[in-house]
Amino acid sequence: MSKFYITTPLYYVNDSPHIGHAYTEVAADVLARSERLLGKDVFFLTGTDEHGQKIAAASSSLNLSPKELADRTAARFQKLWEKLNISYDRFLRTTEASHEKLVREVFDKIHQKGDLYLGTYKGSYCISCESYVPSSQLKENLCPDCGRKASFLEEPAYFFRLSKYQEFLLSYIRENPDFIGPKFREKEVTNFIRGGLTDLSITRAGCQWGILIKENFSIYVWFDALLNYLSGINYLSDAKLFERYWPPDVQFIGKDIIRFHDVIWPAILFSLSLPLPGRIFAHGWWVIGGEKISKSKGTVVSPEEIISEFGADSLRYFLLREVPFGLDGEYSSPVFLKRYNSDLANDLGNLLHRSLSLLETSFEGKIPSSCGSSDEKLKEKSLSLPGIIKSIEALKYNEALIKIWEIVGAANKYLDEKSPWRLSQKEAGPVLYNVGETLRLVALFLKPFLPETSKKIAQRLGIAGEFEEQNFREVKWGLLPPGRRIKKGEPIFPRKK
Ligand code: MSP
């Protein structure tokens, strides 16, 4: 059985989760679920990034200890992921003892290798991005990435010989064209590397909220956090687990953290002589009114509120359907509502509801026999659904959803054209069977995207038990058993105003 190791970034615990965080998480969940349906041995890692100056500052403004704030926020993330049906295998917190131990061990390992030296960091630091800002990039003392005021630091520090890996990185990127995704990001990364890499301070003397090592240095939060991808599968403590999954097949990140993941992270792996991830893919940002989601501007959209009004699957659907993965998207409530009503309430919801209503009124609520149908078109279309697996694996989620909705549209059209309500029982039976079977296949391919909805459709069709076992490995037409009792119920996506 082949393995599939997938990771998300670790979310900072200074603030509560918003739809930007939900986006990364849902995207990873869809791929993890999809690979499981293909029969792979999947390990899906996520978690929270709990150290550093930013979290220390946020906690003190709330009169909490950093650990208290981390406990509180990590629990919020876990609760939200539960609501969103995120199927992670491990939720890692960087304050866990096993992670802290691993970070210290890696520090020693690269030290022994000769990749660390003691020096002094003198320059700017952005607490919000937790990044060292070269003076050439400062704009009037403001961080070029977030626009906030940078602080000046002068402190003793251990430096990682990042500059040593410049050529390794460039040739690795050249030889592995899939390593950086989307493709258009590659140039920005190689230009940055060609501009010259400077050694990186990986300790902070001025921040005590971190993994402490000798002489009262704490580990720089990004060095600590990046190592989660190793400690998440027990590097240096459980060789069996580690060898089973290493290296990651896909790592999801947002476009704001590309340099950390495409430059620093692979350099650390070079230093440790470990194979590099297959693909590091950066998605775009959700913006509101053209601007980055920000608490101070009051543009935070709470995923919990959307879920309580529309359900988890509606949010999952919207995030992945609305914009091509990799590009930025504009979030607004009217756009969300429109997408919900047209695709979920009208197209999918209505197809299910009217089919079930017809079965209820004309077929005593039972799946009719498929005999006598000579309609091959809808069957053929439905059997093209496995084609979406390619789109999912290419991370073209919106393309996959568009293809599924083409089948939903075709089934709605088929129902309109055949008008089974005007046909005899004998003629109407196969028509409704075909639509029911199409709905079963649609639900099957919705399993990774809309896990609750696909289950609901199966329950309504009376096939909840066997549907659980159905996967992407063997896709057949005709598995809906004639005579099975359906459950009409209320529309699964009621129209909203
Ligand atoms: N803690 C670091 C990551 C360390 S990984 C070793 C971090 N955390 S974060 O909470 O700021 O961001 C986590 C993820 O959420 C990032 O991938 C980021 O791009 C994503 N998003 C945060 N805001 C976002 C939007 N508005 N839109 C889309 N994704 C965004 O960075």
Side-chain angles (χ1 to χ4, degrees), residues 8-15 18-25 47-50 54-55 77 94 128-130 221-229 252-257 260-261 283-288 291-294 328-329:
T8 71
L10 298 188
Y11 306 96
Y12 283 129
V13 289
N14 59 312
D15 227 330
H18 59 62
I19 57 163
H21 306 126
Y23 188 42
T24 320
E25 200 67 19
T48 39
D49 188 353
E50 307 191 350
K54 163 157 133 164
I55 284 140
F77 273 100
T94 53
S128 179
C129 300
E130 296 281 15
V221 61
W222 267 103
F223 187 78
D224 156 0
L226 285 166
L227 297 185
N228 93 87
Y229 305 129
F252 282 117
I253 56 169
K255 67 175 186 180
D256 48 329
I257 52 177
F260 298 99
H261 283 84
H283 63 69
W285 270 351
W286 282 97
V287 294
I288 294 184
E291 295 208 35
K292 206 183 165 199
I293 297 172
S294 128
D328 290 349

Side-chain angles (χ1 to χ4, degrees), residues 12-16 50 54-76 93 209:
Y12 283 129
V13 289
N14 59 312
D15 227 330
S16 33
E50 307 191 350
K54 163 157 133 164
I55 284 140
S59 66
S60 81
S61 72
L62 291 166
N63 270 330
L64 295 171
S65 71
K67 183 65 167 57
E68 281 168 339
L69 177 61
D71 288 346
R72 186 195 277 193
T73 317
R76 285 197 67 170
R93 300 181 53 187
W209 176 237

Side-chain angles (χ1 to χ4, degrees), residues 4 25 66-67 69 85 93 104 201 214 217 240 273 297 301 304 326 355 362-364 393 422 437 443 450:
F4 196 80
E25 200 67 19
K67 183 65 167 57
L69 177 61
N85 293 305
R93 300 181 53 187
R104 291 192 184 100
S201 159
K214 53 198 161 199
F217 285 107
K240 215 167 144 213
S273 306
K297 291 196 179 104
V301 179
E304 285 92 348
S355 312
S362 312
F363 289 87
E364 298 166 334
E393 290 192 321
R422 288 203 207 106
E437 182 60 356
L450 312 181

Side-chain angles (χ1 to χ4, degrees), residues 229-382:
Y229 305 129
L230 293 168
S231 62
I233 52 167
N234 298 355
Y235 179 52
L236 303 182
S237 63
D238 179 352
K240 215 167 144 213
L241 186 78
F242 185 72
E243 278 156 24
R244 179 164 154 198
Y245 291 110
W246 190 262
D249 294 271
V250 176
Q251 299 204 271
F252 282 117
I253 56 169
K255 67 175 186 180
D256 48 329
I257 52 177
I258 289 178
R259 281 183 199 169
F260 298 99
H261 283 84
D262 290 356
V263 181
I264 300 174
W265 169 229
I268 296 171
L269 295 176
F270 278 134
S271 176
L272 293 170
S273 306
L274 286 172
L276 263 53
R279 192 149 207 232
I280 301 182
F281 189 95
H283 63 69
W285 270 351
W286 282 97
V287 294
I288 294 184
E291 295 208 35
K292 206 183 165 199
I293 297 172
S294 128
K295 201 173 186 184
S296 54
K297 291 196 179 104
T299 53
V300 174
V301 179
S302 144
E304 285 92 348
E305 275 173 32
I306 303 177
I307 295 169
S308 73
E309 190 175 351
F310 295 93
D313 279 357
S314 307
L315 179 57
R316 292 174 66 107
Y317 180 76
F318 178 82
L319 291 174
L320 297 183
R321 169 62 184 83
E322 200 60 24
V323 275
F325 197 57
L327 304 184
D328 290 349
E330 169 77 39
Y331 180 87
S332 81
S333 308
V335 173
F336 184 95
L337 188 66
K338 196 165 164 225
R339 184 58 77 190
Y340 171 89
N341 277 330
S342 73
D343 297 13
L344 297 175
N346 278 4
D347 296 344
L348 179 63
N350 204 23
L351 175 66
L352 178 68
H353 198 65
R354 62 187 187 139
S355 312
L356 295 173
S357 303
L358 286 164
L359 289 172
E360 192 67 61
T361 48
S362 312
F363 289 87
E364 298 166 334
K366 289 192 183 138
I367 302 289
S369 153
S370 56
C371 288
S373 162
S374 58
D375 301 306
E376 287 294 313
K377 252 187 161 162
L378 191 62
K379 173 178 167 183
E380 252 172 51
K381 275 213 155 90
S382 303

Side-chain angles (χ1 to χ4, degrees), residues 196-213:
L197 296 181
T198 50
D199 293 344
L200 175 77
S201 159
I202 59 157
T203 55
R204 290 294 321 279
C207 170
Q208 292 304 296
W209 176 237
I211 300 173
L212 297 173
I213 51 162

